[in-house]
């Protein structure tokens, strides 16, 4: 906000310099006292302009019309006096004084009263628009932070339940599970604080999560994870896919066969397609979420805030399989825009 106010100050200075040059050029053509007359005009216009400008700053939008109009009348009546006092001619007769008073009132005072009102209204409009955008941005950031903060405990509770089972069974894989959990939490707490992360890093995070969950199964990997495209060249909002992967485990049968959960990540041109399919456990019926679940609603809200009008989320439940397909368009373009915005600020 201070930067915008500095810009307005620079605009004021630049316009006054330009106006002074135009006045000097105009009066110097046929007047030997052009310098005195230029000074008289400039000082009078500045007095009227800023007296009214700061008067509007104090009273604009407030219910104090009486005080405003009283002070405005004072500015209008006293404005010509400075021009008359600084004028190079001797205005020693009442008729001459009244003539120059009237000339300055209609040619200088009233036009600059209007210009000061126009300047004040314009600045207020710009500043209020910027304030509104900042408040909206803060509201979006606060909601994103809230949605993102739900991920950590949600993920942690689910994973700790799995580790508890391994420890209870005294499984040799329990220590490895704890180490993998520590690695995942390190990413979630420290690295995911950025606005975007490389897609490759997010995929590594998903792969670590899959490896951690695989400790529950003695068979070959139950998740078939396929990644196509240059994931290093793309950035994505962190922790965007973890809920979808968690849901796939949660709503699948207790006994999964190798490759039952299919995850596909494809990056083509500027479009990222994330697809996940899992068999539906009979005990779950057709439910998508347990009471108190936050998976899919969380993802949908974050997508609406992060990628409005840029994403497509399709959910397909056949009764036997549950498929979620997410497409995010113009990712590369969006990364450049965000980087430019950060540099600009």
């Amino acid at each position: 906000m201070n930067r915008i106010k500095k810009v307005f100050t620079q605009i004021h200075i630049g316009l006054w310099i330009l106006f002074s040059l135009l006045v000097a050029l105009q009066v110097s053509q046929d007047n030997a006292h052009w310098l005195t007359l230029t000074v008289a005009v400039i000082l009078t216009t500045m007095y009227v302009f800023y007296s009214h400008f700061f008067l509007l700053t104090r009273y604009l939008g407030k219910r104090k019309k009486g005080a405003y109009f009283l002070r405005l009348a004072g500015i209008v009546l006293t404005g010509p006096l400075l021009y008359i006092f600084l004028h190079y001619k001797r205005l020693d007769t009442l008729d001459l004084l009244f003539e120059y008073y009237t000339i300055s009132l209609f040619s200088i005072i009233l036009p600059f009263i209007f210009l000061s009102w126009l300047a004040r209204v314009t600045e207020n409009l710009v500043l209020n628009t910027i304030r509104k955008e900042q408040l909206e941005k803060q509201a979006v950031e606060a909601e994103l932070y809230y949605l993102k903060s739900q991920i950590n405990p949600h993920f942690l509770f689910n994973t700790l339940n799995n580790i508890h089972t391994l420890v209870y069974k005294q499984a040799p894989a329990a220590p490895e599970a704890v180490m993998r959990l520590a690695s995942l939490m390190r990413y979630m707490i420290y690295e995911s604080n950025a606005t975007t992360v490389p897609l490759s890093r997010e995929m590594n995070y998903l792969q670590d999560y899959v490896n951690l969950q695989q400790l529950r199964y003695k068979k070959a990997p139950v998740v078939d994870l396929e990644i196509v495209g240059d994931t290093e060249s793309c950035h994505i909002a962190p922790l965007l896919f973890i809920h979808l992967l968690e849901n796939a485990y949660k709503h699948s049968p207790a006994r999964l066969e190798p490759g039952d959960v299919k995850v596909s990540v494809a990056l083509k041109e500027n479009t990222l397609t994330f697809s996940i399919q899992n068999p539906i456990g009979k005990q779950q019926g057709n439910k998508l979420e347990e009471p108190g679940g936050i998976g899919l609603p969380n993802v949908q809200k974050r997508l609406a805030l992060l990628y409005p009008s840029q994403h497509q989320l399709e959910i397909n439940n056949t009764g036997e399989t549950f498929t979620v397909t997410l497409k995010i368009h113009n990712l590369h373009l969006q990364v450049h825009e965000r980087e430019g915005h950060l540099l600009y600020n």
Side-chain angles (χ1 to χ4, degrees):
M1 193 62 65
N2 290 333
R3 184 185 58 190
I4 302 299
K5 291 182 179 179
K6 288 181 180 178
V7 171
F8 278 126
T9 300
Q10 293 171 356
I11 292 174
H12 277 251
I13 294 173
L15 290 177
W16 279 114
I17 292 175
L18 179 61
F19 177 71
S20 300
L21 293 176
L22 291 175
V23 172
L25 183 64
Q26 180 67 27
V27 301
S28 63
Q29 295 179 358
D30 55 358
N31 196 316
H33 302 279
W34 65 270
L35 182 59
T36 303
L37 187 56
T38 299
V39 172
V41 172
I42 296 301
L43 291 181
T44 301
T45 53
M46 291 185 70
Y47 163 72
V48 173
F49 183 93
Y50 286 109
S51 295
H52 188 229
F53 185 85
F54 291 112
L55 183 65
L56 288 170
T57 302
R58 182 175 179 181
Y59 290 104
L60 189 63
K62 298 179 180 179
R63 298 180 179 180
K64 296 182 179 180
K65 294 183 179 179
Y68 165 73
F69 283 112
L70 182 63
R71 287 166 173 76
L72 176 60
I75 296 172
V76 172
L77 293 175
T78 59
L81 299 179
L82 184 61
Y83 174 77
I84 292 172
F85 177 77
L86 295 173
H87 204 279
Y88 66 93
K89 289 185 177 181
R90 293 185 60 187
L91 307 177
D92 50 1
T93 65
L94 187 60
D95 291 340
L96 193 61
L97 183 66
F98 181 75
E99 179 184 352
Y100 274 83
Y101 184 95
T102 305
I103 291 173
S104 64
L105 179 64
F106 288 98
S107 63
I108 299 176
I109 308 304
L110 295 182
F112 276 85
I113 288 288
F114 171 76
L115 290 175
S116 64
W117 172 84
L118 186 62
R120 180 71 275 176
V121 170
T122 302
E123 288 193 19
N124 280 355
L125 180 63
V126 173
L127 292 174
N128 289 337
T129 301
I130 293 174
R131 289 191 187 99
K132 182 180 178 181
E133 290 178 352
Q134 289 179 341
L135 289 174
E136 290 176 351
K137 181 181 177 182
Q138 290 173 0
V140 170
E141 289 177 348
E143 186 170 359
L144 280 172
Y145 179 81
Y146 168 72
L147 292 171
K148 191 174 174 183
S149 67
Q150 288 181 314
I151 296 173
N152 291 354
H154 187 242
F155 163 82
L156 185 59
F157 293 151
N158 290 347
T159 308
L160 284 177
N161 283 335
N162 297 334
I163 294 177
H164 173 265
T165 302
L166 293 175
V167 173
Y168 180 78
K169 294 180 179 179
Q170 296 184 348
E176 182 183 355
V178 173
M179 293 301 296
R180 288 192 181 278
L181 176 60
S183 176
L184 290 171
M185 294 303 296
R186 187 179 301 110
Y187 172 76
M188 296 176 67
I189 294 173
Y190 298 109
E191 297 181 48
S192 66
N193 288 329
T195 304
T196 59
V197 295
L199 179 59
S200 58
R201 186 65 187 91
E202 188 73 3
M203 292 301 99
N204 291 338
Y205 168 69
L206 291 184
Q207 185 64 66
D208 287 343
Y209 179 80
V210 169
N211 292 336
L212 178 60
Q213 295 292 344
Q214 184 60 36
L215 296 175
R216 300 160 52 194
Y217 304 95
K218 297 180 180 180
K219 299 180 181 180
V222 298
V223 175
D224 179 14
L225 177 59
E226 181 184 13
I227 301 174
V228 178
D230 183 12
T231 56
E232 289 287 349
S233 65
C234 174
H235 282 63
I236 194 76
L239 307 177
L240 195 59
F241 309 120
I242 185 62
H243 275 326
L244 301 178
L245 185 57
E246 281 186 305
N247 280 344
Y249 279 107
K250 184 169 62 175
H251 299 297
S252 294
R255 295 181 179 180
L256 285 171
E257 299 297 325
D260 269 355
V261 179
K262 295 177 174 57
V263 181
S264 172
V265 180
L267 182 63
K268 185 178 181 180
E269 295 179 352
N270 292 336
T271 299
L272 171 65
T273 303
F274 178 89
S275 177
I276 184 166
Q277 182 184 85
N278 63 277
I280 297 177
K282 294 182 180 180
Q283 74 279 9
Q284 296 292 342
N286 290 331
K287 291 192 302 181
L288 302 185
E289 283 294 321
E290 297 174 348
I294 61 174
L296 283 174
N298 185 297
V299 173
Q300 290 169 332
K301 289 180 181 178
R302 291 189 71 204
L303 286 170
L305 293 170
L306 291 166
Y307 303 107
S309 304
Q310 277 183 252
H311 74 279
Q312 295 173 314
L313 183 64
E314 298 178 0
I315 302 174
N316 185 24
N317 187 349
T318 66
E320 295 182 356
T321 60
F322 184 68
T323 306
V324 178
T325 302
L326 169 63
K327 291 184 179 182
I328 304 177
H329 307 284
N330 301 323
L331 272 177
H332 290 83
L333 176 61
Q334 185 182 31
V335 169
H336 297 327
E337 287 177 351
R338 286 185 176 178
E339 290 174 350
H341 178 73
L342 291 174
L343 290 172
Y344 180 76
N345 283 283

